[in-house]
Every structure is written in C-alpha cells, then in structure tokens.
Amino acid sequence: MAQKPSIPKGTRDFSPEEMVKRNYIFDTIRAVFQHYSYQNIETPAMENLSTLMGKYGEEGDRLLFKIVNSGDYLKKISKKDIDAGNINKVTAAISEKGLRYDLTVPFARYVVQHRNSIVFPFKRYQIQPVWRADRPQKGRYREFYQCDVDVIGSGSLLNEVELIRMIDDIFKQLKIDVVIKLNNRKILTGIAEVINAPEKITDITTTIDKIDKIGVEKVYEELRQRGLSEETITMLEPIINLGGDNQKRLNCLKELIGITSAGSQGVDELQEIIDLIKILDISADVEIDQALARGLNYYTGTIIEVLAKDVNIGSLCGGGRYDDLTGIFGLPDVSGVGVSFGADRIYDVLNELNIFPDHQKAVTQVMLVNFGKKESAFALQLLEILQNSGISAELFPDAAKMKKQMQYANKKAVQYVLLPGEEEMKTGLYSLKNMQTGEQVKKVLSELISLING
RNA sequence: GUGGAUGUAGCUCAGCUGGUUAGAGCACUGGAUUGUGGUUCCAGGGGUCGUGGGUUCAAGUCCCAUCUUCCACCCCA
C-alpha cells in the first residue's frame, strides 16, 4: 500500500463544516473592515528574502520559511562554506525567496512600491495566510490567517481610536468578551531613560511583559539575569507595581517619567486616546498596561493587544504604531498604525466557548431525486427553474437506489427532497419532502418554490 | 532552538508483569426494504500495531534512534 498521506507539521485541513465556521469569522471581520471604509489588497505568499530578513529580529529570521532556488542552486555554494557550517552564507546562496511571516512588512513594501498611485492616508485591510517555522502548540500553527487593518500616512490618534472601535465592534459581534490593553512604546523608552539604561530597553520590555504570566518576583530575577543592576531594578519597582484605573496609572506615569520627553509624549498620547474613548460607546474593557511590550521592535508609539477574558490562548489581536516602517524600503517619515486579528485563535476561542451561531444554513435547500435517464433530463429543467428562483438546488447525478439518494440528502442536511418521477412528470404535481419533519406534500412547482423560500 | 508526554482500523480507544490467528464502539459496504432518509436487525470489508534498528526461543508490549501529534519554555496571531 502507498504510504499514508499527511500534511506538514503545524498545518491543517478544513472540512466543509469547519469552513462554515471559519467563514463566519472572516465574514464578520471583513464586513467591519469594509464598514469602516478600509480597502482590500493582497500580496504574494512569497516575498524576496531581502524584504523579509532583519525585520522581525533574530528570532523572526529563524522562523522564516525559506524557499530553495529553482535550477541548479548548488552551483553558487562553495564547499568551504558548507564544511565550515556557515549556515547564513549557505542559505543566502541557495535561497532568495521566503514565505511571508506577517502582513505588515509586505504591506510596507507594497506602499513603497506603489506610493505614487496610493491615496494617503491609505486605509487598507488584508486577510491572508502567513507562515512561521515555529514549533506548534496550543493556539499556535505554522500556517495561519491574519486579518490586518492599517492606516498609513497619518499620525493622528483618531486612527488608534478607530482601530479600538473596530476591535470592539468585531468582538462584540462574535460575542467574545475581551480586554483591550494599551501601552505606548515611548513610555517604555521613558522608563529606560529614567533608570539610565536605554540600551537595556529590549531586555526590560520583554521581561516586564511577562509579569502577568510569571509574577513580579520572577521578573526581578530575570532582570538580574539580563544584567540589570540592583539599583536600576529598584528604580523600576514603582513602575512595575503600578496599578489602579487608567487615569491613576497615567497620573503616576506622568510623575515617574514625565521629565523625559519620550515619557511625557507617551503619556500624553495615551491620555488623548483614553479621553476620546470615554465619549464613545465602547463595551470592551480598555486598560492601560505599562508592562505591555509585544515582541516586534518596529512599534514606536501606541501598542495594542487584545485578550479573551474567558480563554487562555494568548492574544487574539495585536498591533501598534510604527513611525518609520517604510523607511527601510526607502520611504522615510510615513507613520502607520494597525492591528492584526488572528482568525485561527478566534476560531479556537469560539469553539472552546461553544458560541458559534448554529444558523449553519444547509448548502443545499432542495435535492432532486434522479429516477433515470428520461426523468433526470426533465429534472434538469426543474433544477434550472429552482436555481433561477434563488434556491440552492442539486440533482443527484446517478440513478442510484432511492435509499442511497435519500441517505445522501440526509447526511448533507438538505432541507427538502423533490421527487420528479414518471407520475409527477405527467401530472405536473410534484412530491416535496421536508427532511426535518418527514412531511410530504404534492403541489405545482410555483407553490413549492414559495414554500421553499418561505 | 530547549524540555516533557504521545503514536494500535477512517475516527475514539482497549490490549495486564513479553506468549497462538490484535479487539470494541462509531464510521464504511451490502442485505432485510426494486419510489422514501434519520430508528432497528443481519452480514461483510478494513491493521506489515508511526518508521528504522536492537534485545529475546518469542516484541503491539522491553531498549536506542528518527518522525508525528500534544504540552511547557523561547517567542508570538
């Protein structure tokens, strides 16, 4: 026997039933994006490695799926490099394309390349799969969909507020209780400045980001391990332990880091966002979290992360502002802000909470039984009429046994079965069976159509 | 990349301290029922026990390696 077929680690097939659920998520998200006047674009699954490399940090480069060149790609490698185990050089020689790691960097590339035809500020959305060579685990896949919305070419904080409104709108519709966490990169910068350790900013941010997960003590421990002095850790304490409501946090932050220009700017920006949100009808909790860092180091302003209240699965949505993302591609000083919704995690949450709507409408409303050659030719005409009246209908392709055809209809959860046999052909009265109730009626076609549509 | 668990029929699993021909439920196919499904009854097909090596008279069972899936870390949607 042939070997069992399989799919690559961390990838999944989606059955028709799963796709109904997935499309519910995508449709909801897409509708909101469009409702808020964002335009759709798509970019290729693969990008040049030069576009992707170095944009996600060292860790990100490791997680990039690389594609080997076509043709005789071995020609370009020298034996010396292989023997020396010079992985970077060898990969560079044999691979110049990779699968996209997210949608933001390809978007930045797109903006730079099409800058002359884009109307700024450019509000776009993009729903496509991305790939990461990560080790799969709960809520983490190697192929998954991101739903990105970004505004590029506007520094206004109204954009942040709009993103928060969209996040609230989408999760409200999906009936997931979420908390939207906000921070600002400038606050983190301010913190690093105040404690006099600006070069340690990455260490500090990624460490205090874990505070909810590992606790205060472990955070201190890790900070020590990362080479922070006892003195600076002491200075960090009031910031790490900062609690209370948003306004209280902002006031404290202002006191602690307001003397730095970055810090005071960050606090002001968050204040403005919070003030605007107050006058709007937002149902999700919006919390300022000075420990929120997020990994990607291109964020320069607002940082946003959305967590489900009832399921522990990591963030469902995340993003932030990046002042100069297009700079690396040769278009400086274009500010953008955006978030990305993780459709696969949202799926897992809806599944775990069992709150998918059960309006799973059957694909087929009516199935026509095939009684044989003459009858099926006639049925084909009925099929045409039914479909033209907006009914999803299908004719069983083979003149199989009635039982088999009924079983097919039953398994597919078809709503009605129409039986156009010899007798019906003569009289023009057709038997229509309701598969849920088992009731059967005999009527003319026009009446049946209104029955099905009704 | 690091650590732990796992793998038996299409699916969910049983198979004790190694011992004839590896089981169940569900699913599948056929029949009871040649124009009526979902219920019931009967019959049937399907497994080189993840893969490769080793120990043993004997391996689904023990050992090693490798892959898969899952969980945690790193990181992240």
Side-chain angles (χ1 to χ4, degrees):
Chain A
M1 199 181 92
Q3 69 178 49
K4 271 192 193 172
S6 63
I7 53 174
K9 185 199 277 213
T11 64
R12 295 148 302 153
D13 286 325
F14 300 111
S15 66
E17 294 74 27
E18 287 168 319
M19 281 314 293
V20 169
K21 294 176 170 181
R22 286 176 66 82
N23 284 334
Y24 159 69
I25 297 170
F26 289 126
D27 291 347
T28 305
I29 292 174
R30 188 187 307 273
V32 170
F33 288 173
Q34 278 172 354
H35 195 203
Y36 285 71
S37 304
Y38 286 71
Q39 293 176 293
N40 194 199
I41 68 160
E42 290 204 354
T43 61
M46 60 181 114
E47 292 275 349
N48 292 325
L49 273 183
S50 54
T51 303
L52 302 174
M53 295 286 281
K55 309 300 188 298
Y56 309 105
E58 218 177 292
E59 182 77 9
D61 284 354
R62 190 168 65 75
L63 298 178
L64 279 171
F65 274 110
K66 297 167 189 86
I67 299 171
V68 284
N69 295 339
S70 321
D72 186 7
Y73 53 79
L74 287 178
K75 251 191 315 205
K76 288 190 194 158
I77 341 171
S78 73
K79 200 141 194 301
K80 250 189 285 168
D81 288 329
I82 298 181
D83 293 342
N86 195 334
I87 299 219
N88 286 339
K89 223 168 166 184
V90 173
T91 4
I94 65 169
S95 167
E96 48 199 27
K97 295 179 290 297
L99 295 176
R100 62 166 169 256
Y101 178 92
D102 71 358
L103 300 178
T104 308
V105 167
F107 173 52
R109 191 223 82 223
Y110 177 96
V111 168
V112 173
Q113 235 177 296
H114 303 275
R115 61 179 111 174
N116 293 324
S117 52
I118 291 172
V119 180
F120 291 99
F122 183 31
K123 299 169 67 160
R124 78 86 229 225
Y125 76 90
Q126 187 172 354
I127 300 176
Q128 288 189 276
V130 302
W131 294 268
R132 293 182 190 178
D134 208 348
R135 192 174 281 206
Q137 54 178 288
K138 187 178 187 190
R140 178 177 298 189
Y141 308 99
R142 293 184 129 184
E143 178 185 63
F144 61 97
Y145 273 75
Q146 288 193 329
C147 312
D148 270 36
V149 246
D150 294 78
V151 186
I152 195 156
S154 161
S156 164
L157 294 173
L158 287 175
N159 298 307
E160 269 89 337
V161 173
E162 179 161 273
L163 290 174
I164 292 167
R165 285 177 53 221
M166 281 195 284
I167 291 169
D168 183 54
D169 204 342
I170 285 169
F171 287 110
K172 202 189 295 175
Q173 288 189 37
L174 294 173
K175 301 196 165 48
I176 299 176
D177 266 341
V178 294
V179 40
I180 302 171
K181 292 196 166 193
L182 296 180
N183 195 11
N184 194 302
R185 188 69 176 214
K186 290 166 192 162
I187 287 179
L188 297 167
T189 309
I191 292 170
E193 270 177 47
V194 160
I195 62 167
N196 232 336
E199 77 286 352
K200 287 283 181 196
I201 182 156
T202 317
D203 289 297
I204 294 168
T205 53
T206 54
T207 307
I208 64 175
D209 191 46
K210 295 181 202 162
I211 191 159
D212 283 343
K213 211 164 173 185
I214 62 176
V216 186
E217 283 312 311
K218 288 253 166 87
V219 166
Y220 291 151
E221 206 173 289
E222 191 169 327
L223 286 171
R224 275 179 215 115
Q225 269 171 22
R226 288 185 186 244
L228 267 80
S229 69
E230 232 25 77
E231 196 189 346
T232 47
I233 291 175
T234 313
M235 289 169 80
L236 268 175
E237 272 178 35
I239 293 163
I240 290 175
N241 292 317
L242 182 59
D245 65 17
N246 290 337
Q247 198 51 58
K248 191 176 162 215
R249 284 182 191 225
L250 281 173
N251 294 343
C252 294
L253 281 170
K254 188 143 204 155
E255 238 169 78
L256 290 164
I257 59 169
I259 43 158
T260 67
S261 73
S264 102
Q265 244 185 63
V267 173
D268 287 350
E269 288 182 15
L270 274 183
Q271 183 72 61
E272 191 175 335
I273 293 171
I274 291 293
D275 287 345
L276 286 170
I277 280 175
K278 271 189 215 142
I279 62 168
L280 294 166
D281 180 26
I282 304 271
S283 15
D285 289 354
V286 179
E287 275 176 21
I288 286 174
D289 182 354
Q290 71 287 351
L292 176 65
R294 298 188 50 73
L296 300 180
N297 39 25
Y298 46 62
Y299 294 121
T300 52
T302 312
I303 304 174
I304 303 171
E305 179 164 78
V306 180
L307 299 169
K309 278 187 182 168
D310 305 318
V311 180
N312 183 21
I313 197 170
S315 58
L316 299 183
C317 175
R321 179 171 287 278
Y322 32 88
D323 280 335
D324 199 28
L325 186 69
T326 56
I328 36 176
F329 298 123
L331 182 64
D333 303 324
V334 178
S335 186
V337 61
V339 292
S340 179
F341 291 78
D344 301 83
R345 282 193 181 167
I346 293 173
Y347 181 97
D348 290 344
V349 168
L350 290 173
N351 229 11
E352 197 161 326
L353 298 177
N354 202 9
I355 52 171
F356 272 109
D358 45 35
H359 68 272
Q360 296 187 17
K361 41 184 187 247
V363 179
T364 309
Q365 291 173 275
V366 187
M367 188 199 82
L368 284 69
V369 172
N370 185 331
F371 283 103
K373 194 146 190 167
K374 223 173 34 189
E375 292 89 340
S376 65
F378 183 78
L380 198 56
Q381 295 173 281
L382 295 179
L383 182 71
E384 204 174 25
I385 297 168
L386 288 168
Q387 287 168 336
N388 286 343
S389 350
I391 293 168
S392 310
E394 64 177 310
L395 167 63
F396 199 83
D398 304 300
K401 281 184 191 158
M402 178 74 118
K403 178 175 173 133
K404 192 160 191 162
Q405 302 195 38
M406 294 301 279
Q407 272 176 351
Y408 172 84
N410 189 46
K411 280 182 198 156
K412 254 185 111 171
V414 171
Q415 291 173 298
Y416 294 98
V417 169
L418 186 70
L419 301 103
E422 212 179 338
E423 196 192 315
E424 284 84 348
M425 278 170 69
K426 278 188 220 148
T427 59
L429 292 169
Y430 303 97
S431 301
L432 184 77
K433 178 161 186 169
N434 182 323
M435 292 298 279
Q436 256 147 37
T437 62
E439 277 172 59
Q440 196 161 316
V441 294
K442 214 163 187 185
K443 289 183 173 169
V444 293
L445 195 60
S446 59
E447 284 181 65
L448 294 178
I449 289 174
S450 46
L451 178 71
I452 295 162
N453 276 332

